[in-house]
Amino acid sequence: MSAADGVTGGLLASELRLIVTRRRNIVGLTVLCVLPIVLGVVMRVYGPTGDGPPFLAGLTGNGLFLVLATLAVEMTVFLPMAVCILAGDTVAGEAGLGTLRYLLVVPVSRRRLLAVKFAALLIAAAIGVVAVATTAGVTGVALFGAGDLVTLSGGALGFWPALGRVALIAGYVTACLAAVAAIGLFASTLTEQPVGAAVGAFGWLVVDQVLGGIGAVDWLHPFLLSTYWSDWAGLLRDPVDVTGVLGGLISPAVYTVVFATAAWARFTTADVTS
Amino acid sequence: MTTGARRPVSGRRAVRTTGLSKTYGKAPPAVDDLDLEVPEGAVMGFLGPNGSGKTTTIRMLLGLIEPSRGRVELLGEPMPGGAAQVLPKVGALVEGPAFHPYLSGRDNLRRLDAADRSTGRADRDARISLALDRVGLLKAARKTYRAYSLGMKQRLALAAALLRPRDLLVLDEPTNGLDPQGTREVRSLIADLAADGTTVLLSTHLLSEVSQVCSHVAVMHRGGLKAQGALADLAARAGRRVRVDSPEPAAAAGALTALGLAEVVTDGTGATAEPGETPPEKIIASVVTAGVPVVGFRVHAPGLEELFLGLTGEGFDVSG
């Protein structure tokens, strides 16, 4: 038992253990972490080219740029997809197995179950981001060294301040993923098939990104989630500029509140016939 | 083996539903105006053809499904409002076992116990071992659930219902998938629990199970309750017939009719009738007094199967 049995501690610990010990999730996390290694090795061998992912040009001097490049690449598909898959498991997974009815008659109140599931999901998303960022950071430093990081303002940051900036960016990305988690949580209350919930939530994100790429609907762009996913450039300025990040956090906050509320409204009233 | 005979049944109700109904869309109600009462201390057999509404009723009792109309009280508390207080005292097996396939049997029980705010962590492993031991699963506790046979899965679900002392057990077909030995063990376990005072609501298809372990019975049919009460009372009331063997069947029939008995029928060797509340000894005396030559007298009580068929009119077919 890693956590004490407090108000929901026992269940949360059980929930996290269920997520981190599942073989599928371990394999998935490994795949997420292989990407920065591949990216780093390719850049080391062939050198950064102009048409690659953003921030790769900065790699020559500081390995931490590999973290930024990795997060930018993985936020397009891999990290949101991983969160959608885990979110699909939350309620639909238990319903599909039939374990939902046994948890509810323990009893676990539906509100508490949903809160614990969402908390575990957020922790899992954070674990994913930290694992990916750490792998990228270690790979980057090993291949490109730990020299000064050239900021977007043209100045230079030492390794440790630069690491702080990168950690802030990882936190911002995790906050964006919280909105994805809330959408997935809601989808998971609509069905008894975890895959269906995951596909539904991810489909929403694809539409979000496609619309974000169409200039004709630029009036819609401020309301899309993915519009803000790479708004962390201000954190690389000197002195640090947080206006972009703070503005960018409004979107995931609103999405999280709306979809978590929808999940609560749905789950606390639905008949459990699974 | 009837448990009801050796235990007093109190006047309080472990389960009480009032006008309980569940309707889905325009279909006929799945459960219609159900007034179910399970006396405290009883082992009540919950019978009914497939699709008669038993499972929907059980799900409403446990707060999984919201009733369209009517009320549910479990152990004196209204459901689903009192779920947090009352459900820790209720062990349930609903529509078969369901656990996480990649966890071991023991880890599955740990998860359920960790979710239960009414139990402590200190004695968790001891209680889990005790529950596993009671269902004979201790040796297979470390196997993953995926590797369990159907009977082992069923036993694990029973162990989950026994993780802490319960006042009420709601068991939906607990011997499903068990071999004859396992069936015997589980029935004996239910009898032991009942002897300790636990009320049991036992949904089953097996009439032999009812006659072996149940003190009470409730019969559902097409969403409604056809009958409920002590098994002995129900059997006595429903379809019991007396038979007078006589060389003069017409005279025998006349004497039975004169006594006010219903459904008097004659055949070549005597007459039969429904005794109703009239005691058999009085019938014999009256028939003899009337001068009818009597060569034999029997009271025929119907078996549980006849009783069930008489109540539902369709045996085990699926309710439409």
Side-chain angles (χ1 to χ4, degrees), chain A residues 5 94 102 271-272 274, chain B residues 22 59 64 94 96 111 124:
Chain A
D5 281 16
E94 301 274 4
Y102 285 110
D271 283 345
V272 173
S274 63
Chain B
K22 182 65 183 182
R59 282 180 179 267
L64 295 171
V94 191
R111 176 170 163 78
R124 175 167 299 154

Side-chain angles (χ1 to χ4, degrees), chain B residues 2-121:
Chain B
T2 307
T3 51
R6 43 184 153 97
R7 281 174 311 105
V9 169
S10 86
R12 288 188 298 178
R13 300 285 178 258
V15 177
R16 184 202 300 273
T17 75
T18 320
L20 189 66
S21 306
K22 182 65 183 182
T23 317
Y24 292 106
K26 287 180 179 161
V31 175
D32 193 11
D33 204 19
L34 194 73
D35 296 327
L36 178 69
E37 293 196 355
V38 183
E40 244 173 43
V43 178
M44 180 174 261
F46 197 30
L47 292 169
N50 295 327
S52 57
K54 298 194 301 290
T55 298
T56 305
T57 303
I58 287 176
R59 282 180 179 267
M60 285 193 283
L61 295 183
L62 297 171
L64 295 171
I65 291 181
E66 194 181 358
S68 305
R69 282 189 312 283
R71 289 202 311 274
V72 174
E73 260 180 39
L74 279 194
L75 303 169
E77 298 272 357
M79 283 293 292
Q85 292 81 47
V86 75
L87 285 186
K89 293 183 269 182
V90 180
L93 203 169
V94 191
E95 272 190 286
F99 292 94
H100 285 275
Y102 304 108
L103 297 183
S104 69
R106 180 178 284 275
D107 282 344
N108 266 297
L109 295 187
R110 278 209 184 102
R111 176 170 163 78
L112 286 175
D113 200 70
D116 190 345
R117 284 166 151 173
S118 73
T119 58
R121 210 180 121 194

Side-chain angles (χ1 to χ4, degrees), chain B residues 134-145:
Chain B
R134 284 190 99 164
V135 300
L137 207 56
L138 204 48
K139 281 183 186 152
R142 301 212 168 274
K143 275 195 190 179
T144 59
Y145 179 70

Side-chain angles (χ1 to χ4, degrees), chain B residues 150-162:
Chain B
L150 180 54
M152 290 160 81
K153 291 176 177 176
Q154 194 76 16
R155 286 165 191 255
L156 188 62
L158 275 167
L162 301 175

Side-chain angles (χ1 to χ4, degrees), chain A residues 16 29 54 95 119 159 185 202 222 233 258:
Chain A
L16 283 171
L29 187 62
F159 179 77
L185 184 74
F202 192 69
V258 168

